[in-house]
Amino acid sequence: MEEDNGTEPWHRSLQAMLDALNQTLHGAILRPTAPCNASARAGRDDNAYMYILFVMTLFAATVGSLILGYTRSRKVDKRSDPYHVYIKNRVSMI
């Protein structure tokens, strides 16, 4: 005589959930016959890639201008540079 400890319904529901998960992972998911929100959601997200592209372009322009400004500021020879002051004084002595 086997005693029932009350875990059988829990075990059945767990097994059903695991079977559904297994079917989902193997691509055999049950799709509804008429998706009600698919067209509304697709219409709302149509231009999401344009927004991402726009933000990435703004970021690239900002970073590019910072890099360009930094490299140009490093290339410019400043008249107050001690090396140029020394050369100017040295040439005037000759």
Side-chain angles (χ1 to χ4, degrees):
M1 306 238 167
E2 192 174 328
E3 291 184 21
D4 187 18
N5 59 4
T7 60
E8 188 61 33
W10 179 79
H11 178 64
R12 274 188 269 134
S13 64
L14 180 63
Q15 190 62 39
M17 184 182 69
L18 289 175
D19 289 340
L21 180 62
N22 195 20
Q23 288 175 356
T24 303
L25 291 176
H26 290 293
I29 59 173
L30 301 173
R31 291 193 167 85
T33 56
C36 56
N37 290 350
S39 63
R41 199 173 102 211
R44 189 184 69 202
D45 295 338
D46 278 347
N47 293 327
Y49 67 95
M50 290 299 289
Y51 173 74
I52 293 171
L53 187 63
F54 177 71
V55 170
M56 288 177 61
T57 304
L58 286 178
F59 179 74
T62 303
V63 170
S65 64
L66 288 172
I67 290 172
L68 188 63
Y70 178 75
T71 54
R72 284 190 176 199
S73 73
R74 299 296 291 167
K75 283 184 181 179
V76 174
D77 293 331
K78 296 181 175 68
R79 300 243 183 245
S80 62
D81 186 14
Y83 178 75
H84 292 292
V85 172
Y86 172 77
I87 294 295
K88 181 180 173 187
N89 292 340
R90 185 79 175 167
V91 168
S92 65
M93 288 176 37
I94 297 179

